[in-house]
Amino acid sequence: MGRGVALGLVLGWLLSGGGPVLAEPPTRQALHARQEISVPEGDVQAWIAAFRPRALEAGISQATLDAALSGVALRPDVVEKDRNQTEFTRTIWDYLDKAVSDDRVAAGQKALKKHGALLRRIEAKYDVDRQILLAIWGLESSYGVVRGDVPTVAALVTLASSTRRGAYFERELLAALRILQEGDVAPAAMQGSWAGAMGHTQFMPSSYLSLAVDFDGDGRRDIWSEDPTDALASTAAFLARWGWRKGEPWGVEITLPEGFDYRLAGEKIHHSAAEWQAMGVARTTGGALPDCGPASVLLPGGARGAAFLICPNFHVIEHYNPADAYVIAVGHLGDRILGGGPILGQWPRDLRALTLDERIALQHRLTLAGFDAGGADGRIGPLTQSAIRGFQTSIGVVPDGYASLDVLNRLP
Ligand code: CA
């Protein structure tokens, strides 16, 4: 959760999975967090009182605690957003329309001009391509315009005390307090999204502690203020940490051959560019497929939607947020900023996204029908997609693994 929240680009569950940088994957419990929203303010103060000794134990000083926690109260807006974020789902085409709009591409090109020298220096140091940094910046905060103004400590106190993912948010709260203790930012300036992600590229506090850098050398790792220098370099450090391969694409749009075996699609099946080419897979814009090592065919909108060959860098971006739609948006926005064209494949725009209840029902029915959907958490991941493929194969329809209403309706 938290990805793109400030931009109104919430993909709901689809994007809620990864959470802000390095967040935990969603849990079944998270789905039920929405059922316990009425947390009386008194309970939050009691929670803070009980938390203080744990924080002291973890090495946070009394002075830091007093400065950071005085006056902190429950944020009903945060509770409400946490409750609602699992409810909404957007189709990938609706998401991409907004995430990679012409305006966002143009603003990215402007930012490339304005910050070109800085981006070259960051690229030289971290071996991370500039367009990906711009794209993440563009998606996370509209290039710094919308960095979020929710006090991070209050947001994390609210989430730690009122949701079943409390343990995760308490760890992030401790990380936030540690940042304050180290003096990188004043308590009042530590702001971000409702879910605790901060600054230009929406780092969670724990990611900040482990990976943020002071690139301008002023002695502070400042991802919050107007100047994006440290935030962009920190994002580069993050992607480098997860193995970014400079000069390689995240993926490319492809055209599948007539009679393609859809069981070969999916992130778990890898082949080299030469092998895919031999199977008739072609780059939509022409030319050779990128030679990026183990690559997979991805059909994020099912057999009727655009198809992509995804490279190892795709999985690096997944560490920022694992939703396919987010990763494709980042990669594609980066390509567009460099002058690349739009996605040429069509999307099945007549289909609507499944609701949370429908996704859970789909997983239940797949499991009952003997296809292991990996539980019924409402999150359509690789296991559920594989179960859908199995079911589709068993009834003789194209096994594209897409969680459509049609599949749900056909399940007994
Ligand atoms: Ca700095």
Side-chain angles (χ1 to χ4, degrees), residues 57 119 130 213 253 258 287 289 368 402 406:
E57 180 94 355
L119 288 162
R130 65 196 78 176
V213 297
E253 189 180 356
E258 200 72 28
L289 292 175
L368 286 174
Y402 187 67
D406 182 56

Side-chain angles (χ1 to χ4, degrees), residues 13-62:
W13 189 243
L14 190 54
L15 279 196
S16 73
V21 180
L22 286 185
E24 287 180 334
T27 61
R28 299 181 66 164
Q29 287 78 8
L31 280 173
H32 301 292
R34 69 193 197 280
Q35 290 161 5
E36 4 169 352
I37 51 154
S38 11
V39 180
E41 177 55 35
D43 287 2
V44 174
Q45 296 311 326
W47 186 90
I48 290 174
F51 167 72
R52 278 173 170 270
R54 297 199 292 276
L56 287 167
E57 180 94 355
I60 308 299
S61 73
Q62 193 70 56

Side-chain angles (χ1 to χ4, degrees), residues 214-222 230:
D214 171 24
F215 196 71
D216 64 8
D218 70 350
R220 293 165 60 236
R221 302 184 284 172
D222 180 10
D230 286 356

Side-chain angles (χ1 to χ4, degrees), residues 302-347:
R304 291 169 54 212
F308 302 91
L309 189 72
I310 59 170
C311 290
N313 277 342
F314 185 97
H315 305 294
V316 176
I317 304 171
E318 281 181 329
H319 288 284
Y320 227 94
N321 184 308
D324 287 347
Y326 178 83
V327 178
I328 291 169
V330 164
H332 182 54
L333 177 57
D335 291 345
R336 294 288 302 276
I337 289 171
L338 292 188
I343 292 169
L344 296 171
Q346 299 301 304
W347 297 106

Side-chain angles (χ1 to χ4, degrees), residues 63-95:
T64 301
L65 286 174
D66 289 345
L69 294 174
S70 70
V72 166
L74 182 86
R75 296 276 308 207
D77 55 333
V78 170
V79 175
E80 188 62 26
K81 286 199 164 112
D82 181 62
R83 180 176 63 150
N84 286 336
Q85 55 111 11
T86 59
E87 302 291 344
F88 305 110
T89 308
R90 220 178 259 177
T91 56
I92 185 169
W93 45 94
D94 284 343
Y95 177 71

